[in-house]
Amino acid sequence: MSGAKKVYIRTFGCQMNEYDSDKMADVLRAAEGYEPTDDVEQADLVLFNTCSVREKAQEKVFSDLGRVKHLKAKGVLIGVGGCVASQEGAAIVERAPYVDLVFGPQTLHRLPQMIAARHAEQRPQIDIRFPEIEKFDHLPPARVQGASAYVSIMEGCSKYCSYCVVPYTRGEEVHRPLDDVLAEVAGLAAQGVKEVTLLGQNVNAYRGHWPQAEPGPDSDDDEAIADFALLIEAVSEIAGIERIRYTTSHPNEFTQRLIDVYARVPKLVSHLHLPVQHGSDRILMAMKRGYTAMEYKSTIRKLRAVRPNLSLSSDFIVGFPGETEDDFGRTMKLIDDVGYDASFSFVFSPRPGTPAAALADDTPAALKLQRLQLLQARIEENVRRISASRVGTVQRILVEGPSRHADKAARAGNLNLGASELMGRTECNRIVNFDGGPNAARLVGQMIDVTITEALPHSLRGEPVAAERVSGPARSPATTA
Ligand code: SAM
Ligand code: SF4
Ligand code: F3S
């Protein structure tokens, strides 16, 4: 191996893990000069950033580890981070003794020190503590790729839904100070980022410290607390930021102040991922979600009153212990009532240490699977209907780069095929493929208006409106998808 050291990072799980994987690459580049590689055979360091939200995800880690074990003969280091690392700790090294590093989501910034200790002590290093948000104080400035970026505003979760492992793997909620988040967004905007996604397990529970310029006369307290509504407004005022997304929010923390922000801040997209999990109040209570289906729908009604074109997505769990046909029917009814766009759905997976894992569960696995398929087919019908309704409308998209088709052709060495074929995303995260024409390269990273010409199963096809084709990005507002 010659030149810069190389790190191969494989990411499982949610956007929080994707964000953390980028941070691992940043830390390793800044401290050790590692460059990322997609080819595991070229790597000096192999990292798995793992997920334990369901059993299958967890088991995948061990089968993948087995596949890279042979690299040890070349002196390659192997590390396991993320939620499985956090949950299993030293047990990972017991099961896979060739693993050199085990680190949690809150200790990834210590990777360089752990690597040095691994070499000095010649034994595996394990650090899965939750040091109070120390991570963000030790991360180097992000290297921006493209016009869209994630910004973590909080870590962990304190909701303890009865089925979920996250509070145990990521720790209790810790919120970043308002100024830190705003400084990170401003830094990204200065590097050309136009769209930020604010990240956390419960972003609307955000309570960030906020230094007060003028403490009140009766108070010597020079700090106030900013809520999520205030954070969004502050982000929307940062020059260069044109679109704000967030994930994930919790129905219980959906305050009137946050609903009002939808009326005031057009940069906040008309798409909301608001996981309901289930449509039966009995099951919602057993899940410890803290709301009823009626309360959830009431929040949606209020939101749609201020944003009539809001599109919604959700997560659903099918086959929670004790789920009857009637309970399942209530989830299907909720899907019809709300009209969800693309959503995620899963069969309940008992997670060790969570209260739901101990509940009696007599629903046969085959029936759970059948329910999952019914639910997914219903959502898919909605997705197709919503996509078809976009044909003929003008949508504002953020152009990300070559379409998947063009990218594949370029990787295969066919540089001419579809060279002007680009892709972008609408507000509601639909992929739009289009021909960028002779100006294609100039359109990447820009917000442009396209007329939707065709709805395909997993994407839309569009055409830039005339002004964009001739002179590049226009400024006119468009209908939101
Ligand atoms: N914080 C978010 C929320 O409250 O909706 C989601 C977090 S979780 C990482 C992502 C999704 O995984 C959940 O919304 C839920 O649908 C699913 N999930 C979590 N635990 C699960 C389990 N034990 N079995 C099946 N699905 C699960
Ligand atoms: Fe898990 Fe519930 Fe927290 Fe979401 S809110 S991460 S489902 S415990
Ligand atoms: Fe998985 Fe951990 Fe995310 S369990 S879904 S990687 S918070």
Side-chain angles (χ1 to χ4, degrees):
M1 279 173 240
S2 62
K5 286 182 283 186
K6 297 221 166 43
V7 56
Y8 170 91
I9 306 179
R10 172 105 199 261
T11 310
F12 303 81
C14 61
Q15 286 107 327
M16 262 64 77
N17 262 15
E18 284 173 32
Y19 177 87
D20 282 351
S21 291
D22 286 348
K23 296 298 161 196
M24 289 174 202
D26 291 344
V27 165
L28 290 165
R29 182 184 294 111
E32 305 260 325
Y34 277 96
E35 285 301 326
T37 177
D38 290 337
D39 180 359
V40 71
E41 298 292 331
Q42 297 296 316
D44 302 273
L45 171 63
V46 173
L47 298 177
F48 290 112
N49 193 9
T50 62
C51 172
S52 57
V53 78
R54 284 169 292 277
E55 191 183 356
K56 253 193 198 152
Q58 177 155 345
E59 282 312 304
K60 180 111 187 52
V61 174
F62 288 99
S63 63
D64 281 17
L65 273 173
R67 255 180 245 131
V68 296
K69 190 175 157 187
H70 69 281
L71 298 173
K72 291 290 289 185
K74 291 199 283 182
V76 170
L77 288 183
I78 297 177
V80 179
C83 290
V84 177
S86 182
Q87 190 175 284
E88 301 289 315
I92 292 188
V93 180
E94 277 159 33
R95 190 165 160 186
Y98 47 87
V99 168
D100 301 285
L101 313 163
V102 178
F103 55 100
Q106 323 290 26
T107 47
L108 63 90
H109 58 285
R110 295 184 183 164
L111 268 170
Q113 291 81 345
M114 290 179 74
I115 292 170
R118 166 70 185 83
H119 288 309
E121 296 170 20
Q122 289 295 309
R123 60 185 169 86
Q125 299 294 312
I126 299 162
D127 187 350
I128 52 166
R129 288 167 291 163
F130 299 143
E132 268 275 296
I133 213 137
E134 169 193 300
K135 162 175 149 183
F136 292 102
D137 296 333
H138 291 80
L139 292 174
R143 257 219 337 206
V144 169
Q145 290 167 324
S148 185
Y150 289 132
V151 175
S152 174
I153 65 166
M154 65 196 293
E155 286 281 326
C157 180
S158 307
K159 286 273 186 263
Y160 293 94
C161 300
S162 65
Y163 51 82
C164 184
V165 80
V166 173
Y168 311 98
T169 59
R170 297 233 163 202
E172 294 261 333
E173 272 171 24
V174 193
H175 305 168
R176 287 178 77 188
L178 179 72
D179 277 3
D180 284 8
V181 175
L182 297 182
E184 184 168 343
V185 176
L188 291 168
Q191 294 180 72
V193 166
K194 294 191 166 69
E195 174 186 274
V196 283
T197 303
L198 306 174
L199 274 187
Q201 291 296 355
N202 259 316
V203 285
N204 49 345
Y206 178 77
R207 302 280 181 277
H209 282 278
W210 181 35
Q212 289 284 69
E214 291 178 26
D218 303 328
S219 150
D220 55 3
D221 190 1
D222 59 359
E223 288 224 321
I225 301 291
D227 67 359
F228 190 54
L230 194 147
L231 171 65
I232 290 177
E233 291 210 77
V235 169
S236 75
E237 283 161 16
I238 294 174
I241 296 299
E242 297 189 38
R243 245 183 205 180
I244 303 169
R245 300 182 186 278
Y246 59 81
T247 196
T248 305
S249 53
H250 193 288
N252 263 6
E253 307 277 354
F254 233 96
T255 60
Q256 188 59 46
R257 272 176 56 75
L258 182 52
I259 293 170
D260 292 343
V261 169
Y262 278 86
R264 281 201 303 275
V265 179
K267 289 180 182 177
L268 184 56
V269 293
S270 285
H271 171 65
L272 172 63
H273 183 66
L274 188 62
V276 67
Q277 310 295 355
H278 212 279
S280 157
D281 293 345
R282 209 176 65 79
I283 300 289
L284 283 171
M285 197 187 286
M287 287 178 160
K288 267 190 70 212
R289 288 294 287 181
Y291 52 83
T292 62
M294 187 79 92
E295 284 163 346
Y296 178 89
K297 283 197 282 186
S298 153
T299 301
I300 303 295
R301 250 193 313 278
K302 287 185 209 158
L303 276 162
R304 283 187 164 149
V306 291
R307 278 286 178 97
N309 56 0
L310 185 75
S311 82
L312 280 150
S313 58
S314 177
D315 294 345
F316 296 94
I317 295 179
V318 170
F320 188 81
E323 181 186 72
T324 62
E325 268 313 307
D326 177 67
D327 292 320
F328 177 65
R330 287 171 195 269
T331 299
M332 295 295 271
K333 171 151 183 356
L334 183 77
I335 290 171
D336 290 341
D337 290 349
V338 174
Y340 286 103
D341 203 346
S343 294
F344 303 95
S345 43
F346 318 96
V347 169
F348 168 75
S349 169
R351 303 314 295 131
T354 62
L359 295 175
D361 184 3
D362 54 7
T363 314
L367 181 55
K368 292 183 180 186
L369 202 58
Q370 197 184 5
R371 288 179 184 164
L372 182 73
Q373 285 162 352
L374 283 171
L375 184 149
Q376 289 179 338
R378 185 71 57 89
I379 301 265
E380 201 46 43
E381 267 171 44
N382 283 340
V383 172
R384 274 201 293 273
R385 187 176 42 75
I386 294 170
S387 287
S389 74
R390 303 297 185 236
V391 175
T393 64
V394 174
Q395 303 288 333
R396 197 149 186 79
I397 62 167
L398 176 58
V399 184
E400 291 186 6
S403 69
R404 197 180 286 175
H405 174 68
D407 203 30
K408 237 177 163 178
R411 279 170 196 258
N414 190 350
L415 293 172
N416 290 327
L417 183 70
S420 60
E421 200 43 33
L422 298 176
M423 66 79 72
R425 274 175 212 270
T426 66
E427 273 199 35
C428 75
N429 241 348
R430 284 273 194 295
I431 289 178
V432 182
N433 293 308
F434 66 100
D435 185 349
N439 277 336
R442 271 177 52 198
L443 296 180
V444 176
Q446 305 294 336
M447 303 277 292
I448 67 163
D449 291 343
V450 292
T451 306
I452 304 302
T453 53
E454 196 182 352
L456 299 157
H458 301 290
S459 62
L460 299 170
R461 178 114 206 125
E463 248 175 38
V465 301
E468 315 274 21
R469 275 203 302 270
V470 178
S471 60
R475 290 276 141 243
S476 60
T479 335
T480 50

